[in-house]
Amino acid sequence: MRPDEIQRRATELGPWVNGFEYDSVTYPRDTQVAPPRVGRALPFFDVFPDATRILELGALEGADTIRLASRPGVTVVAVEGRADNLSRASFVLGLHGLTNVRLVHADVEQFDLRSLGRFDVVLCTGLLYHLQRPWDLLRSIADVSDGLFLSTHYWGDADTTFDTEGYVVKLVHEDHPEPRTRALTETTLWFDRPSLLKALTDAGFGTPQVINERVAPSVCDIVLAARRAHQTVAGEQGTSAGPA
């Protein structure tokens, strides 16, 4: 496909949350979009080098999907809650000639992940904090895989949290300026850090390996890898998620 055709089709599918790169050109051109997302595939495969069947939850426009599926021998099932995001992901995957991806349009809080089969690892990035019952998703993930690569926010201000169903959470109103990155519901619940770790344990995962973490007075970020308690994570001599 010629660059002008790519630009025309990208414009038709817009507006985009992030731009995408193809043949060293960033599309869509001449529009105000965020730069292409930095993929998480490199740290993912550092921790799970033997993963070949991957479930991606929260695929958005397919940036991470492309990087995962570009690895030889890998197949990916990518789930996304917004159909327009999946249309953009499908277009970009087609540009790259990737046929080893199945795209699924579903709300993960209403969808039975077991219907998709079992997976070596689940990649869940930018999704857990968009849910009303995030502990249920972690349990659903444990039903289909022994491995989890998780990137999420958690809440750092104890003065604004409350207890529910055994977890300490923060009620968050979804008012992000980019509506296509908001949750499918108006409000969500964010774990505090100890409750995030407790929810992982309750789902059957062992002590996670923290890959990256940013602590702040309110919105904190964490990237971690975990396996079911009877498994081990490659390179798990790295930092473990001890008490905050």
Side-chain angles (χ1 to χ4, degrees):
M1 186 177 286
R2 299 193 312 270
D4 61 324
E5 294 175 324
I6 296 174
Q7 173 64 21
R8 177 184 59 79
R9 185 63 179 139
T11 301
E12 291 173 351
L13 289 169
W16 293 69
V17 177
N18 297 94
F20 66 92
E21 188 173 288
Y22 182 72
D23 278 350
S24 301
V25 178
T26 298
Y27 298 92
R29 295 172 296 188
D30 305 322
T31 57
Q32 295 297 317
V33 296
R37 287 176 72 188
V38 176
R40 301 172 179 89
L42 181 58
F44 175 92
F45 285 118
D46 285 344
V47 180
F48 296 105
D50 299 323
T52 57
R53 180 166 163 78
I54 300 166
L55 175 62
E56 180 189 8
L57 301 178
L60 199 64
E61 295 166 340
D64 289 329
T65 318
I66 291 168
R67 291 171 175 86
L68 295 173
S70 296
R71 189 176 176 95
V74 165
T75 60
V76 180
V77 176
V79 179
E80 167 57 34
R82 286 191 166 84
D84 55 342
N85 287 340
L86 274 188
S87 295
R88 290 186 281 273
S90 178
F91 171 65
V92 178
L93 288 165
L95 279 179
H96 288 269
L98 295 170
T99 59
N100 54 334
V101 178
R102 175 186 172 190
L103 298 176
V104 178
H105 177 214
D107 177 354
V108 296
E109 294 203 276
Q110 306 293 329
F111 184 72
D112 187 354
L113 297 182
R114 293 172 297 182
S115 66
L116 301 174
R118 286 198 59 81
F119 298 87
D120 297 326
V121 186
V122 174
L123 174 75
C124 180
T125 62
L127 176 65
L128 194 67
Y129 56 90
H130 283 313
L131 306 179
Q132 293 186 317
R133 296 176 59 85
W135 49 89
D136 283 347
L137 180 62
L138 293 177
R139 293 168 186 166
S140 295
I141 289 171
D143 285 340
V144 299
S145 180
D146 289 334
L148 169 64
F149 188 98
L150 176 68
S151 175
T152 190
H153 298 316
Y154 64 85
W155 194 254
D157 181 7
D159 292 338
T160 58
T161 56
F162 64 96
D163 295 350
T164 184
E165 300 202 26
Y167 303 105
V168 177
V169 297
K170 163 73 174 179
L171 178 67
V172 175
H173 292 270
E174 287 280 331
D175 57 359
H176 192 281
E178 173 46 73
R180 288 157 296 167
T181 65
R182 295 176 190 167
L184 300 180
T185 56
E186 292 184 0
T187 60
T188 61
L189 295 179
W190 291 25
F191 289 122
D192 71 357
R193 191 181 193 276
S195 285
L196 171 60
L197 301 183
K198 180 179 184 297
L200 287 166
T201 299
D202 291 347
F205 291 101
T207 301
Q209 173 190 348
V210 174
I211 298 167
N212 189 33
E213 185 169 12
R214 182 187 65 86
V215 179
S218 55
V219 179
C220 307
D221 308 317
I222 190 167
V223 180
L224 61 84
R227 284 193 183 272
R228 297 293 299 278
H230 60 280
Q231 301 287 323
T232 58
V233 176
E236 70 175 357
Q237 67 271 18
T239 306
S240 63

